[in-house]
Amino acid sequence: MAFMIAQRAYIKLYLINKVEQRRGYGYQMLEELKEEFKPFGYVPPQSEIYRALHELVQEGVLYRTKQLKGNDPSVDFQEIVLYHFTDNGAEKAALYKKQVKTDLDRCIGMLHKAVADNFV
Amino acid sequence: MAFMIAQRAYIKLYLINKVEQRRGYGYQMLEELKEEFKPFGYVPPQSEIYRALHELVQEGVLYRTKQLKGNDPSVDFQEIVLYHFTDNGAEKAALYKKQVKTDLDRCIGMLHKAVADNFV
């Protein structure tokens, strides 16, 4: 088993969360995640977020739609990408989250152990 | 900042600990660490442990001595490698541990956050 939880898994967990909250607008998710981890000095890399989204699509958890950003197509041509659960996507996501939870708990255990063993 | 604490830093923390406890016998440390993390399904790679020891020596925290394993050199020729703090090694180690503690706390925070945000 790997030393710590993979960054990809951690990010996928949050992307699933955003889609559950119907906040599945690609660029917006990216900005929200960057903001969210600022207090931890961690900037989720854009490339990792896009790869994670790509994997979730490949795995049949999410699908993409595109729509124009504004309401008037004659004025606003910018397309945005939205992510949604596929028919059984929520079910697949729940299973995936369960696996990630196990690894999160394991990692929390290893980090707490290091604190307990090395800092009294 | 990296996503999670580096495996190397985590291992160095434990190696310093072993030397503090005067258990700085290279091969023995390796075996003890492997045993210690079994409940977490994590096997610290031997190569990582040796690289971590190498770094601690390069950084002037530890130095190596060699001695014969048994008491009778005519019978037992096996050499063992022992690690000790240099003159200011304990001081350097304390400084390093302080840095690692900050990162451990940050990572524990990020993992607890993921549990709180994604698993209610």
Side-chain angles (χ1 to χ4, degrees), chain B residues 36-75:
Chain B
E36 197 152 348
F37 297 109
K38 261 192 187 160
F40 298 93
Y42 165 63
V43 182
Q46 188 162 331
S47 56
E48 268 300 310
I49 295 175
Y50 281 123
R51 276 185 213 125
L53 282 169
H54 181 75
E55 279 185 18
L56 288 168
V57 170
Q58 290 293 310
E59 290 156 4
V61 178
L62 303 182
Y63 71 95
R64 282 186 192 90
T65 58
K66 287 179 180 182
Q67 65 180 53
L68 288 175
K69 199 174 180 180
N71 291 316
D72 184 351
S74 69
V75 177

mmCIF file of all heavy atoms in Angstrom, chain B residues 36-75:
data_model
loop_
_atom_site.group_PDB
_atom_site.id
_atom_site.type_symbol
_atom_site.label_atom_id
_atom_site.label_comp_id
_atom_site.label_asym_id
_atom_site.label_seq_id
_atom_site.Cartn_x
_atom_site.Cartn_y
_atom_site.Cartn_z
ATOM 1 N N GLU B 36 6.414 -2.088 12.855
ATOM 2 C CA GLU B 36 5.631 -1.046 13.508
ATOM 3 C C GLU B 36 4.428 -0.573 12.681
ATOM 4 O O GLU B 36 3.406 -0.175 13.243
ATOM 5 C CB GLU B 36 6.572 0.140 13.774
ATOM 6 C CG GLU B 36 6.046 1.096 14.775
ATOM 7 C CD GLU B 36 7.186 1.813 15.521
ATOM 8 O OE1 GLU B 36 8.353 1.395 15.400
ATOM 9 O OE2 GLU B 36 6.865 2.784 16.202
ATOM 10 N N PHE B 37 4.581 -0.599 11.355
ATOM 11 C CA PHE B 37 3.518 -0.056 10.514
ATOM 12 C C PHE B 37 2.628 -1.126 9.900
ATOM 13 O O PHE B 37 1.730 -0.808 9.126
ATOM 14 C CB PHE B 37 4.113 0.848 9.434
ATOM 15 C CG PHE B 37 4.798 2.043 10.010
ATOM 16 C CD1 PHE B 37 6.173 2.160 9.983
ATOM 17 C CD2 PHE B 37 4.055 3.040 10.621
ATOM 18 C CE1 PHE B 37 6.805 3.253 10.547
ATOM 19 C CE2 PHE B 37 4.673 4.134 11.193
ATOM 20 C CZ PHE B 37 6.054 4.239 11.153
ATOM 21 N N LYS B 38 2.877 -2.352 10.263
ATOM 22 C CA LYS B 38 2.062 -3.453 9.727
ATOM 23 C C LYS B 38 0.568 -3.220 9.921
ATOM 24 O O LYS B 38 -0.207 -3.428 8.989
ATOM 25 C CB LYS B 38 2.478 -4.787 10.365
ATOM 26 C CG LYS B 38 3.407 -5.582 9.468
ATOM 27 C CD LYS B 38 3.571 -7.012 9.977
ATOM 28 C CE LYS B 38 4.647 -7.716 9.149
ATOM 29 N NZ LYS B 38 5.197 -8.882 9.842
ATOM 30 N N PRO B 39 0.148 -2.747 11.126
ATOM 31 C CA PRO B 39 -1.300 -2.547 11.311
ATOM 32 C C PRO B 39 -1.897 -1.552 10.312
ATOM 33 O O PRO B 39 -3.103 -1.520 10.125
ATOM 34 C CB PRO B 39 -1.408 -1.994 12.735
ATOM 35 C CG PRO B 39 -0.130 -2.347 13.405
ATOM 36 C CD PRO B 39 0.912 -2.417 12.343
ATOM 37 N N PHE B 40 -1.023 -0.741 9.678
ATOM 38 C CA PHE B 40 -1.510 0.265 8.726
ATOM 39 C C PHE B 40 -1.334 -0.193 7.279
ATOM 40 O O PHE B 40 -1.561 0.569 6.350
ATOM 41 C CB PHE B 40 -0.772 1.591 8.949
ATOM 42 C CG PHE B 40 -1.007 2.172 10.309
ATOM 43 C CD1 PHE B 40 -0.143 1.913 11.352
ATOM 44 C CD2 PHE B 40 -2.125 2.957 10.562
ATOM 45 C CE1 PHE B 40 -0.359 2.433 12.624
ATOM 46 C CE2 PHE B 40 -2.352 3.485 11.821
ATOM 47 C CZ PHE B 40 -1.474 3.214 12.861
ATOM 48 N N GLY B 41 -0.915 -1.415 7.116
ATOM 49 C CA GLY B 41 -0.740 -1.942 5.764
ATOM 50 C C GLY B 41 0.357 -1.226 4.988
ATOM 51 O O GLY B 41 0.395 -1.255 3.770
ATOM 52 N N TYR B 42 1.251 -0.567 5.716
ATOM 53 C CA TYR B 42 2.324 0.192 5.066
ATOM 54 C C TYR B 42 3.660 -0.464 5.372
ATOM 55 O O TYR B 42 3.993 -0.705 6.530
ATOM 56 C CB TYR B 42 2.303 1.641 5.572
ATOM 57 C CG TYR B 42 3.546 2.436 5.266
ATOM 58 C CD1 TYR B 42 3.932 2.693 3.953
ATOM 59 C CD2 TYR B 42 4.339 2.944 6.294
ATOM 60 C CE1 TYR B 42 5.075 3.421 3.673
ATOM 61 C CE2 TYR B 42 5.476 3.689 6.026
ATOM 62 C CZ TYR B 42 5.847 3.923 4.714
ATOM 63 O OH TYR B 42 6.973 4.646 4.454
ATOM 64 N N VAL B 43 4.412 -0.746 4.329
ATOM 65 C CA VAL B 43 5.753 -1.301 4.488
ATOM 66 C C VAL B 43 6.755 -0.242 4.042
ATOM 67 O O VAL B 43 6.881 0.033 2.847
ATOM 68 C CB VAL B 43 5.940 -2.575 3.639
ATOM 69 C CG1 VAL B 43 7.328 -3.158 3.870
ATOM 70 C CG2 VAL B 43 4.873 -3.603 3.961
ATOM 71 N N PRO B 44 7.466 0.387 4.987
ATOM 72 C CA PRO B 44 8.449 1.393 4.571
ATOM 73 C C PRO B 44 9.498 0.739 3.673
ATOM 74 O O PRO B 44 10.127 -0.246 4.085
ATOM 75 C CB PRO B 44 9.074 1.867 5.888
ATOM 76 C CG PRO B 44 8.506 1.047 6.979
ATOM 77 C CD PRO B 44 7.458 0.151 6.438
ATOM 78 N N PRO B 45 9.687 1.236 2.462
ATOM 79 C CA PRO B 45 10.642 0.585 1.558
ATOM 80 C C PRO B 45 12.065 0.706 2.081
ATOM 81 O O PRO B 45 12.478 1.771 2.550
ATOM 82 C CB PRO B 45 10.485 1.376 0.250
ATOM 83 C CG PRO B 45 9.224 2.158 0.380
ATOM 84 C CD PRO B 45 9.036 2.394 1.845
ATOM 85 N N GLN B 46 12.783 -0.397 1.996
ATOM 86 C CA GLN B 46 14.170 -0.463 2.470
ATOM 87 C C GLN B 46 15.011 0.646 1.828
ATOM 88 O O GLN B 46 15.801 1.307 2.502
ATOM 89 C CB GLN B 46 14.720 -1.841 2.093
ATOM 90 C CG GLN B 46 16.082 -2.136 2.678
ATOM 91 C CD GLN B 46 16.381 -3.629 2.661
ATOM 92 O OE1 GLN B 46 15.450 -4.448 2.741
ATOM 93 N NE2 GLN B 46 17.637 -3.997 2.552
ATOM 94 N N SER B 47 14.804 0.872 0.539
ATOM 95 C CA SER B 47 15.572 1.887 -0.188
ATOM 96 C C SER B 47 15.317 3.281 0.400
ATOM 97 O O SER B 47 16.244 4.094 0.504
ATOM 98 C CB SER B 47 15.189 1.876 -1.662
ATOM 99 O OG SER B 47 13.792 2.072 -1.797
ATOM 100 N N GLU B 48 14.086 3.542 0.781
ATOM 101 C CA GLU B 48 13.738 4.844 1.380
ATOM 102 C C GLU B 48 14.430 5.007 2.732
ATOM 103 O O GLU B 48 14.898 6.088 3.082
ATOM 104 C CB GLU B 48 12.219 4.942 1.599
ATOM 105 C CG GLU B 48 11.455 5.560 0.463
ATOM 106 C CD GLU B 48 11.875 6.986 0.150
ATOM 107 O OE1 GLU B 48 11.944 7.809 1.073
ATOM 108 O OE2 GLU B 48 12.141 7.267 -1.025
ATOM 109 N N ILE B 49 14.449 3.939 3.502
ATOM 110 C CA ILE B 49 15.078 3.996 4.824
ATOM 111 C C ILE B 49 16.578 4.267 4.678
ATOM 112 O O ILE B 49 17.131 5.127 5.365
ATOM 113 C CB ILE B 49 14.816 2.699 5.622
ATOM 114 C CG1 ILE B 49 13.311 2.573 5.910
ATOM 115 C CG2 ILE B 49 15.621 2.673 6.920
ATOM 116 C CD1 ILE B 49 12.892 1.295 6.593
ATOM 117 N N TYR B 50 17.209 3.578 3.725
ATOM 118 C CA TYR B 50 18.644 3.800 3.555
ATOM 119 C C TYR B 50 18.931 5.199 3.016
ATOM 120 O O TYR B 50 19.905 5.840 3.421
ATOM 121 C CB TYR B 50 19.273 2.693 2.699
ATOM 122 C CG TYR B 50 19.495 1.441 3.530
ATOM 123 C CD1 TYR B 50 18.951 0.211 3.175
ATOM 124 C CD2 TYR B 50 20.236 1.513 4.724
ATOM 125 C CE1 TYR B 50 19.133 -0.923 3.967
ATOM 126 C CE2 TYR B 50 20.425 0.392 5.523
ATOM 127 C CZ TYR B 50 19.879 -0.825 5.139
ATOM 128 O OH TYR B 50 20.067 -1.935 5.933
ATOM 129 N N ARG B 51 18.061 5.690 2.128
ATOM 130 C CA ARG B 51 18.257 7.056 1.622
ATOM 131 C C ARG B 51 18.066 8.078 2.742
ATOM 132 O O ARG B 51 18.778 9.074 2.823
ATOM 133 C CB ARG B 51 17.293 7.349 0.466
ATOM 134 C CG ARG B 51 17.839 6.846 -0.851
ATOM 135 C CD ARG B 51 16.954 7.228 -2.030
ATOM 136 N NE ARG B 51 17.024 6.176 -3.036
ATOM 137 C CZ ARG B 51 15.985 5.539 -3.543
ATOM 138 N NH1 ARG B 51 14.760 5.862 -3.171
ATOM 139 N NH2 ARG B 51 16.155 4.582 -4.425
ATOM 140 N N ALA B 52 17.105 7.818 3.613
ATOM 141 C CA ALA B 52 16.846 8.727 4.737
ATOM 142 C C ALA B 52 18.056 8.752 5.685
ATOM 143 O O ALA B 52 18.477 9.826 6.134
ATOM 144 C CB ALA B 52 15.586 8.288 5.481
ATOM 145 N N LEU B 53 18.616 7.568 5.957
ATOM 146 C CA LEU B 53 19.812 7.501 6.810
ATOM 147 C C LEU B 53 20.970 8.248 6.153
ATOM 148 O O LEU B 53 21.698 8.997 6.812
ATOM 149 C CB LEU B 53 20.210 6.039 7.054
ATOM 150 C CG LEU B 53 19.378 5.287 8.101
ATOM 151 C CD1 LEU B 53 19.679 3.797 8.058
ATOM 152 C CD2 LEU B 53 19.653 5.844 9.510
ATOM 153 N N HIS B 54 21.102 8.049 4.859
ATOM 154 C CA HIS B 54 22.154 8.720 4.100
ATOM 155 C C HIS B 54 22.006 10.244 4.218
ATOM 156 O O HIS B 54 22.986 10.952 4.457
ATOM 157 C CB HIS B 54 22.088 8.266 2.645
ATOM 158 C CG HIS B 54 23.148 8.871 1.789
ATOM 159 N ND1 HIS B 54 24.467 8.472 1.835
ATOM 160 C CD2 HIS B 54 23.094 9.863 0.872
ATOM 161 C CE1 HIS B 54 25.177 9.190 0.984
ATOM 162 N NE2 HIS B 54 24.366 10.046 0.380
ATOM 163 N N GLU B 55 20.786 10.725 4.068
ATOM 164 C CA GLU B 55 20.541 12.167 4.176
ATOM 165 C C GLU B 55 20.886 12.689 5.569
ATOM 166 O O GLU B 55 21.486 13.753 5.708
ATOM 167 C CB GLU B 55 19.074 12.489 3.863
ATOM 168 C CG GLU B 55 18.782 12.567 2.370
ATOM 169 C CD GLU B 55 17.367 13.014 2.055
ATOM 170 O OE1 GLU B 55 16.697 13.595 2.933
ATOM 171 O OE2 GLU B 55 16.925 12.762 0.928
ATOM 172 N N LEU B 56 20.486 11.951 6.592
ATOM 173 C CA LEU B 56 20.764 12.391 7.964
ATOM 174 C C LEU B 56 22.273 12.451 8.227
ATOM 175 O O LEU B 56 22.744 13.307 8.983
ATOM 176 C CB LEU B 56 20.059 11.471 8.975
ATOM 177 C CG LEU B 56 18.530 11.629 9.031
ATOM 178 C CD1 LEU B 56 17.881 10.494 9.819
ATOM 179 C CD2 LEU B 56 18.129 12.979 9.642
ATOM 180 N N VAL B 57 23.019 11.552 7.585
ATOM 181 C CA VAL B 57 24.475 11.599 7.707
ATOM 182 C C VAL B 57 25.024 12.808 6.931
ATOM 183 O O VAL B 57 25.823 13.593 7.448
ATOM 184 C CB VAL B 57 25.118 10.277 7.208
ATOM 185 C CG1 VAL B 57 26.640 10.413 7.100
ATOM 186 C CG2 VAL B 57 24.750 9.128 8.153
ATOM 187 N N GLN B 58 24.542 12.979 5.700
ATOM 188 C CA GLN B 58 24.975 14.115 4.865
ATOM 189 C C GLN B 58 24.695 15.457 5.552
ATOM 190 O O GLN B 58 25.458 16.398 5.419
ATOM 191 C CB GLN B 58 24.217 14.097 3.518
ATOM 192 C CG GLN B 58 24.614 12.966 2.600
ATOM 193 C CD GLN B 58 26.043 13.103 2.091
ATOM 194 O OE1 GLN B 58 26.423 14.151 1.598
ATOM 195 N NE2 GLN B 58 26.849 12.060 2.260
ATOM 196 N N GLU B 59 23.566 15.521 6.246
ATOM 197 C CA GLU B 59 23.160 16.774 6.891
ATOM 198 C C GLU B 59 23.868 17.006 8.230
ATOM 199 O O GLU B 59 23.595 18.000 8.909
ATOM 200 C CB GLU B 59 21.635 16.771 7.097
ATOM 201 C CG GLU B 59 20.844 16.894 5.787
ATOM 202 C CD GLU B 59 19.436 16.335 5.862
ATOM 203 O OE1 GLU B 59 19.015 15.912 6.962
ATOM 204 O OE2 GLU B 59 18.759 16.295 4.821
ATOM 205 N N GLY B 60 24.727 16.068 8.594
ATOM 206 C CA GLY B 60 25.494 16.239 9.822
ATOM 207 C C GLY B 60 24.697 15.966 11.094
ATOM 208 O O GLY B 60 25.098 16.390 12.178
ATOM 209 N N VAL B 61 23.576 15.268 10.962
ATOM 210 C CA VAL B 61 22.785 14.920 12.147
ATOM 211 C C VAL B 61 23.334 13.642 12.774
ATOM 212 O O VAL B 61 23.497 13.555 13.982
ATOM 213 C CB VAL B 61 21.290 14.740 11.771
ATOM 214 C CG1 VAL B 61 20.471 14.317 12.991
ATOM 215 C CG2 VAL B 61 20.727 16.023 11.152
ATOM 216 N N LEU B 62 23.623 12.669 11.925
ATOM 217 C CA LEU B 62 24.098 11.366 12.413
ATOM 218 C C LEU B 62 25.493 11.061 11.854
ATOM 219 O O LEU B 62 25.898 11.624 10.843
ATOM 220 C CB LEU B 62 23.149 10.252 11.963
ATOM 221 C CG LEU B 62 21.670 10.346 12.365
ATOM 222 C CD1 LEU B 62 20.906 9.113 11.857
ATOM 223 C CD2 LEU B 62 21.510 10.463 13.883
ATOM 224 N N TYR B 63 26.203 10.176 12.546
ATOM 225 C CA TYR B 63 27.399 9.570 11.955
ATOM 226 C C TYR B 63 27.345 8.074 12.204
ATOM 227 O O TYR B 63 26.640 7.598 13.099
ATOM 228 C CB TYR B 63 28.680 10.210 12.504
ATOM 229 C CG TYR B 63 29.004 9.877 13.944
ATOM 230 C CD1 TYR B 63 29.879 8.833 14.264
ATOM 231 C CD2 TYR B 63 28.454 10.613 14.990
ATOM 232 C CE1 TYR B 63 30.181 8.518 15.586
ATOM 233 C CE2 TYR B 63 28.747 10.310 16.314
ATOM 234 C CZ TYR B 63 29.604 9.255 16.602
ATOM 235 O OH TYR B 63 29.894 8.954 17.906
ATOM 236 N N ARG B 64 28.097 7.376 11.391
ATOM 237 C CA ARG B 64 28.086 5.911 11.417
ATOM 238 C C ARG B 64 29.313 5.359 12.138
ATOM 239 O O ARG B 64 30.400 5.916 12.000
ATOM 240 C CB ARG B 64 28.202 5.361 9.981
ATOM 241 C CG ARG B 64 26.987 5.386 9.153
ATOM 242 C CD ARG B 64 27.281 4.649 7.828
ATOM 243 N NE ARG B 64 26.206 4.897 6.876
ATOM 244 C CZ ARG B 64 26.194 5.906 6.024
ATOM 245 N NH1 ARG B 64 27.202 6.752 5.975
ATOM 246 N NH2 ARG B 64 25.156 6.063 5.208
ATOM 247 N N THR B 65 29.128 4.252 12.844
ATOM 248 C CA THR B 65 30.278 3.443 13.263
ATOM 249 C C THR B 65 29.980 2.000 12.866
ATOM 250 O O THR B 65 28.835 1.635 12.622
ATOM 251 C CB THR B 65 30.516 3.497 14.786
ATOM 252 O OG1 THR B 65 29.336 3.052 15.458
ATOM 253 C CG2 THR B 65 30.850 4.906 15.258
ATOM 254 N N LYS B 66 31.036 1.223 12.788
ATOM 255 C CA LYS B 66 30.845 -0.191 12.477
ATOM 256 C C LYS B 66 31.420 -1.022 13.604
ATOM 257 O O LYS B 66 32.430 -0.662 14.204
ATOM 258 C CB LYS B 66 31.557 -0.534 11.167
ATOM 259 C CG LYS B 66 30.833 0.039 9.960
ATOM 260 C CD LYS B 66 31.547 -0.282 8.660
ATOM 261 C CE LYS B 66 30.766 0.329 7.496
ATOM 262 N NZ LYS B 66 31.380 0.002 6.208
ATOM 263 N N GLN B 67 30.767 -2.104 13.918
ATOM 264 C CA GLN B 67 31.373 -3.040 14.871
ATOM 265 C C GLN B 67 30.979 -4.458 14.519
ATOM 266 O O GLN B 67 30.027 -4.682 13.767
ATOM 267 C CB GLN B 67 30.992 -2.690 16.320
ATOM 268 C CG GLN B 67 29.517 -2.829 16.629
ATOM 269 C CD GLN B 67 29.218 -2.473 18.084
ATOM 270 O OE1 GLN B 67 29.587 -1.409 18.565
ATOM 271 N NE2 GLN B 67 28.519 -3.358 18.792
ATOM 272 N N LEU B 68 31.741 -5.387 15.060
ATOM 273 C CA LEU B 68 31.410 -6.788 14.800
ATOM 274 C C LEU B 68 30.184 -7.155 15.613
ATOM 275 O O LEU B 68 30.000 -6.680 16.734
ATOM 276 C CB LEU B 68 32.589 -7.697 15.155
ATOM 277 C CG LEU B 68 33.768 -7.599 14.185
ATOM 278 C CD1 LEU B 68 34.946 -8.437 14.687
ATOM 279 C CD2 LEU B 68 33.369 -8.042 12.775
ATOM 280 N N LYS B 69 29.350 -7.987 15.021
ATOM 281 C CA LYS B 69 28.077 -8.314 15.662
ATOM 282 C C LYS B 69 28.288 -9.121 16.950
ATOM 283 O O LYS B 69 27.715 -8.815 17.983
ATOM 284 C CB LYS B 69 27.197 -9.098 14.679
ATOM 285 C CG LYS B 69 25.738 -9.090 15.050
ATOM 286 C CD LYS B 69 24.909 -9.762 13.972
ATOM 287 C CE LYS B 69 23.432 -9.749 14.332
ATOM 288 N NZ LYS B 69 22.616 -10.388 13.297
ATOM 289 N N GLY B 70 29.132 -10.149 16.893
ATOM 290 C CA GLY B 70 29.351 -10.985 18.079
ATOM 291 C C GLY B 70 30.487 -10.433 18.926
ATOM 292 O O GLY B 70 31.046 -9.373 18.644
ATOM 293 N N ASN B 71 30.850 -11.139 19.965
ATOM 294 C CA ASN B 71 31.944 -10.709 20.826
ATOM 295 C C ASN B 71 33.267 -11.370 20.448
ATOM 296 O O ASN B 71 34.322 -10.876 20.803
ATOM 297 C CB ASN B 71 31.613 -11.006 22.292
ATOM 298 C CG ASN B 71 30.489 -10.113 22.775
ATOM 299 O OD1 ASN B 71 30.494 -8.912 22.499
ATOM 300 N ND2 ASN B 71 29.519 -10.688 23.465
ATOM 301 N N ASP B 72 33.164 -12.451 19.758
ATOM 302 C CA ASP B 72 34.371 -13.187 19.407
ATOM 303 C C ASP B 72 34.636 -13.063 17.905
ATOM 304 O O ASP B 72 34.014 -13.733 17.098
ATOM 305 C CB ASP B 72 34.184 -14.662 19.777
ATOM 306 C CG ASP B 72 35.457 -15.464 19.527
ATOM 307 O OD1 ASP B 72 36.412 -14.921 18.925
ATOM 308 O OD2 ASP B 72 35.476 -16.645 19.917
ATOM 309 N N PRO B 73 35.600 -12.174 17.536
ATOM 310 C CA PRO B 73 35.834 -11.930 16.101
ATOM 311 C C PRO B 73 36.331 -13.174 15.363
ATOM 312 O O PRO B 73 36.229 -13.230 14.150
ATOM 313 C CB PRO B 73 36.886 -10.813 16.104
ATOM 314 C CG PRO B 73 37.405 -10.713 17.482
ATOM 315 C CD PRO B 73 36.467 -11.389 18.405
ATOM 316 N N SER B 74 36.866 -14.133 16.098
ATOM 317 C CA SER B 74 37.338 -15.338 15.416
ATOM 318 C C SER B 74 36.168 -16.230 15.013
ATOM 319 O O SER B 74 36.302 -17.121 14.186
ATOM 320 C CB SER B 74 38.317 -16.112 16.311
ATOM 321 O OG SER B 74 37.604 -16.664 17.404
ATOM 322 N N VAL B 75 35.009 -15.974 15.619
ATOM 323 C CA VAL B 75 33.822 -16.783 15.310
ATOM 324 C C VAL B 75 32.833 -16.006 14.437
ATOM 325 O O VAL B 75 32.284 -16.516 13.473
ATOM 326 C CB VAL B 75 33.110 -17.229 16.623
ATOM 327 C CG1 VAL B 75 31.829 -17.998 16.304
ATOM 328 C CG2 VAL B 75 34.045 -18.084 17.466
#
